[in-house]
Amino acid sequence: QVQLVESGGGLVQPGGSLRLSCAASENLYYMGWYRQAPGKQREFLARITWGATTNYGDSMKGRFTISRDNAKNTIYLQMNSLKPEDTAVYYCHAEFIAGGEYWGKGIQVTVSS
C-alpha cells in the first residue's frame, strides 16, 4: 500500500510561515494538499502533477505555493502570511495516473498569538 507521511507542521504566529512536506513511499502522478478545520469540511488547497502542473484552491489566496521533488517522491507546501483561520489539520493526498486514491494521516498547523 501507498504511504504518505506529512511533516513540518506546528505552532506559528499570525503572519508567520511554515513549509509542510509529504514524503511518499513511491512515485505518484498527482499529489496535493487538503486541510480540515474543526467543525468544517475538508478543503482542497493545491495539487501538482509529476510534470509540475499545479492547481490551487481559492483558500490559498496567493499565500501558499506547492512544489515537488520527484527524485524524493516528496511534495511541499510553502505557507506564508498565515492567519488564525489557517489553523487546521493538513492532509497529503495522492493518486496514480491510472487511479487509486491515498491520504496521509494529517498534521496539525496552529496559527495563534
Side-chain angles (χ1 to χ4, degrees), residues 12-39:
V12 64
Q13 294 183 339
S17 298
L18 286 175
R19 190 181 75 158
L20 303 182
S21 299
C22 174
S25 59
E26 56 196 288
N27 180 263
L28 295 106
Y29 188 77
Y30 302 99
M31 296 185 70
W33 294 95
Y34 290 71
R35 69 184 181 188
Q36 189 165 23

Side-chain angles (χ1 to χ4, degrees), residues 34-45 59 88-89 91:
Y34 290 71
R35 69 184 181 188
Q36 189 165 23
K40 296 185 177 181
Q41 296 185 106
R42 191 165 296 187
E43 177 185 29
F44 169 74
L45 296 176
S59 295
V89 176
Y91 295 91

